[in-house]
Amino acid sequence: MTETRLRFPPSPTGYLHIGGARTALYNWLYAKKNGGKLILRIEDTDAERSTQESIQGILDGLKWLGIDWDEGPYFQTEFESDHEAASKQLLEADKAYKCFCTKEELDVKREAAQKNKTQYGYDGTCRSLSAEEIAEKETAGLPFVVRFKVPDKDGEIGYDDKVLGHIKAQYREIEDFVIVRSTGKPLYLLCNVVDDIRDRISHIIRGSDHMTNTIRQVLLYNALEAPVPVFAHMPLTLDNKKAKISKRKHGEIVAVQFYEEKGFIPWALSNFLVLLGWSPGNDTEFFTQDELIETFSLERINKTNSIFNYQKGNPKFFTDPKAISFNEHYLRTMPIEEIGVMVKPFLEKEDLWDVAYEGEKKEWYLTTLDLIRDRFQVLTDFGDRGRAYFSDEFTVEQKPLKKNVLKHEGLKEWLPMLADRFEALAVYNLETTEQTARDLATELDVKPGVIINGMRTVVTGQLAGPSMFDILMAIGQKRVVARLRDVAKLYEV
Ligand code: GLU
């Protein structure tokens, strides 16, 4: 049995796009499911547009997503001699020919076809030049391209696409296409096939935007006497107005790196992306890696385009709300130790790590994360909305400040009173703090809510959050007392 070998061959001309990440994921899942291999090949033959920065970005993005590969990265430019050898082989076998037609000559024919409203295709002028004619033109130094000689026969050529079914074309409809430019450089169409043959690729899962190449590539496989791989062309990802997702139109949200920086959990993004264009056939949305590897199949890739429901609105995330809800799900349900590891770099970035976690504080750190994660959406929230747990320097949000503090002049005295009582507690725990706060409210004849909401705002800076008394435990007696005592400063604006 032949080995299952897949490849992810990005062109390093930009960041890792979420559409590219989805392609990589499908190939990775299929390889894993079938005990196969994933080959990473950087298609860098376009020297003008390929950059080192992009290569690095792609590698980093894949690593961040947890997509590992078995071979590579190979670089297409390392194999230029293979590409040239293949074109030579095709020329020698009379499966390709040199074409000396000039651009001007071709333009005249194209325009004539347009005028007659007939489909233009190369007319084969140079297809049967004699060896002498060719030698003559070459000696005269005339430039030429190499064209593939499409078999001169009736009937059709096709392949069975695992997603779209049988795709075919009439031989007669396919023009003799160029495989080597007049500069001597083989075209991408050919390089891609030559590399896939050398890398013994058995399955090609790629976007349907590449379908325009596939029939011609099948012809090349046949001509090079190599087995044609299994093709599966995936639907494109469009926005809710049916426009292709692009950086120009949608900005940074198309880049995987954006999600990393915004504090997404890699697997949450992967899970979301896999479901953009594939479905398990039931309502299940959340999968572990193993479950997804087990369930994934090419047959269940959707035939219709996927909708990335890009929405402006929440300024923090101009992205599909479903991506956020996937992240919330994982943020709230993953083992807290794993969350702890992922939150670390974000706290470090905010200079909060030492406060949060020093050896023996680990238990406190994890309990605190567990307490506050329920309302958070992304990992950055811990050092941002959750800052008050890790530092005494935090911002008090305007809305709760006005509503829960400034509106109640009395709190200026009441909260310091509460501070004194908390300080005096011999046992500072959930019950004693709650009793103390309620007793004070009764004595003062104010609603407990006024005291509790005021305390929440002063202690955390936030309007909402976990249970107040859990918060008091997480932040600790000393720091709570100091914050309550200091309430007057919030009125000085
Ligand atoms: N280098 C191509 C791209 O980045 C991939 C072509 C293919 O999958 O065959 O779009």
Side-chain angles (χ1 to χ4, degrees):
M1 236 185 78
T2 52
E3 220 187 330
T4 302
R5 290 173 63 86
L6 290 103
R7 61 7 167 221
F8 178 55
S11 306
T13 53
Y15 48 85
L16 179 62
H17 186 286
I18 47 173
R22 186 184 61 158
T23 305
L25 279 163
Y26 285 8
N27 281 282
W28 177 80
L29 285 168
Y30 193 80
K32 290 265 181 248
K33 176 168 181 150
N34 294 284
K37 295 224 158 75
L38 178 66
I39 286 91
L40 176 62
R41 183 172 71 231
I42 307 289
E43 299 205 315
D44 57 345
T45 33
D46 184 344
E48 268 168 37
R49 296 178 59 223
S50 299
T51 67
Q52 199 52 44
E53 191 190 347
S54 163
I55 295 174
Q56 200 52 51
I58 290 168
L59 298 180
D60 291 346
L62 292 174
K63 280 190 200 142
W64 179 74
L65 283 168
I67 301 176
D68 50 351
W69 53 92
D70 303 284
E71 286 177 30
Y74 299 135
F75 291 86
Q76 193 158 54
T77 44
E78 287 171 5
F79 299 99
E80 277 165 1
S81 58
D82 288 2
H83 311 144
E84 280 155 23
S87 69
K88 205 160 152 234
Q89 180 189 335
L90 292 173
L91 274 172
E92 279 166 7
D94 197 28
K95 290 174 178 172
Y97 59 92
K98 294 176 181 170
C99 167
F100 296 87
C101 294
T102 63
K103 184 177 174 299
E104 291 70 30
E105 286 164 348
L106 296 176
D107 284 348
V108 169
K109 290 179 188 173
R110 189 174 297 115
E111 278 159 28
Q114 266 163 9
K115 241 187 227 148
N116 298 335
K117 298 209 161 53
T118 53
Q119 176 102 26
Y120 171 76
Y122 179 65
D123 62 2
T125 304
C126 294
R127 196 177 163 113
S128 41
L129 291 179
S130 67
E132 293 74 39
E133 284 170 310
I134 295 172
E136 212 173 278
K137 288 178 190 285
E138 280 195 273
T139 319
L142 296 184
F144 62 86
V145 298
V146 177
R147 284 183 187 273
F148 180 77
K149 206 175 206 177
V150 176
D152 180 17
K153 59 181 187 188
D154 290 326
E156 52 192 38
I157 167 107
Y159 63 95
D160 288 316
D161 191 294
K162 278 282 180 198
V163 179
L164 301 168
H166 191 68
I167 306 289
K168 58 183 189 212
Q170 300 290 326
Y171 280 104
R172 300 250 175 256
E173 285 169 1
I174 311 167
E175 71 168 348
D176 288 349
F177 53 92
V178 177
I179 54 173
V180 181
R181 289 190 185 81
S182 58
T183 55
K185 214 170 159 329
L187 259 90
Y188 169 74
L189 185 79
L190 174 65
C191 304
N192 187 248
V193 168
V194 170
D195 291 344
D196 282 336
I197 294 174
R198 186 195 54 253
D199 293 337
R200 291 178 287 118
I201 300 303
S202 61
H203 293 71
I204 293 182
I205 309 173
R206 63 183 178 190
S208 52
D209 47 339
H210 290 288
M211 274 182 86
T212 47
N213 289 335
T214 312
I215 287 280
R216 287 176 294 165
Q217 293 193 318
V218 170
L219 287 170
L220 288 172
Y221 278 100
N222 291 343
L224 292 165
E225 292 168 18
V228 179
V230 174
F231 283 99
H233 286 99
M234 313 179 305
L236 300 180
T237 307
L238 307 178
D239 72 5
N240 39 16
K241 295 202 182 79
K242 301 230 159 75
K244 242 178 118 172
I245 295 283
S246 72
K247 182 149 190 176
R248 193 177 46 76
K249 202 158 187 271
H250 303 91
E252 55 188 346
I253 61 137
V254 299
V256 167
Q257 207 189 358
F258 168 82
Y259 296 86
E260 183 179 358
E261 282 165 9
K262 287 288 174 198
F264 274 70
I265 293 171
W267 183 249
L269 182 65
S270 297
N271 190 163
F272 163 75
L273 288 176
V274 170
L275 291 184
L276 267 186
W278 174 84
S279 102
N282 56 43
D283 294 340
T284 314
E285 289 202 306
F286 302 115
F287 294 86
T288 63
Q289 280 194 12
D290 287 344
E291 285 165 354
L292 202 50
I293 290 168
E294 175 72 32
T295 322
F296 186 76
S297 69
L298 298 182
E299 287 74 15
R300 296 212 65 88
I301 293 180
N302 301 340
K303 290 185 179 42
T304 49
N305 289 326
S306 338
I307 302 299
F308 182 86
N309 193 12
Y310 167 77
Q311 285 184 2
K312 280 205 172 168
N314 181 345
K316 198 161 162 190
F317 312 108
F318 288 170
T319 188
D320 189 331
K322 198 164 167 187
I324 301 171
S325 74
F326 269 57
N327 206 59
E328 287 170 351
H329 168 82
Y330 283 103
L331 189 63
R332 293 164 193 182
T333 55
M334 275 174 86
I336 199 65
E337 288 76 15
E338 289 179 38
I339 298 290
V341 173
M342 290 190 287
V343 169
K344 179 179 172 188
F346 292 99
L347 291 186
E348 281 175 334
K349 218 184 269 166
E350 300 290 329
D351 271 339
L352 294 174
W353 178 244
D354 291 342
V355 197
Y357 185 106
E358 289 160 343
E360 77 275 12
K361 279 196 191 167
K362 181 172 179 181
E363 206 187 310
W364 172 80
Y365 170 63
L366 294 181
T367 319
T368 303
L369 295 190
D370 201 18
L371 176 68
I372 58 184
R373 67 168 157 173
D374 267 0
R375 283 167 190 267
F376 287 175
Q377 297 185 298
V378 280
L379 299 167
T380 50
D381 286 338
F382 289 90
D384 177 355
R385 290 162 64 193
R387 194 177 168 92
Y389 292 84
F390 306 109
S391 170
D392 293 326
E393 279 154 38
F394 59 91
T395 331
V396 175
E397 287 186 358
Q398 280 304 312
K399 199 168 158 193
L401 178 66
K402 284 193 191 130
K403 184 171 163 213
N404 294 337
V405 181
L406 303 184
K407 238 175 80 184
H408 307 279
E409 267 295 315
L411 286 171
K412 226 195 265 188
E413 278 170 43
W414 303 335
L415 292 185
M417 279 167 81
L418 188 60
D420 290 344
R421 294 186 187 195
F422 279 167
E423 195 173 40
L425 283 175
V427 180
Y428 175 89
N429 65 20
L430 285 177
E431 292 75 30
T432 58
T433 49
E434 176 158 9
Q435 198 56 54
T436 308
R438 292 193 186 280
D439 287 350
L440 181 69
T442 313
E443 273 174 45
L444 297 169
D445 197 21
V446 292
K447 285 197 191 119
V450 172
I451 300 283
I452 292 173
N453 292 335
M455 174 160 63
R456 177 187 296 284
T457 307
V458 171
V459 172
T460 67
Q462 300 280 306
L463 182 63
S467 144
M468 188 60 228
F469 301 97
D470 285 328
I471 295 175
L472 294 183
M473 294 309 111
I475 296 187
Q477 189 171 15
K478 242 170 92 186
R479 293 201 294 166
V480 166
V481 166
R483 289 177 196 182
L484 293 176
R485 203 163 263 161
D486 223 11
V487 62
K489 79 165 191 233
L490 296 180
Y491 291 84
E492 295 162 11
V493 264

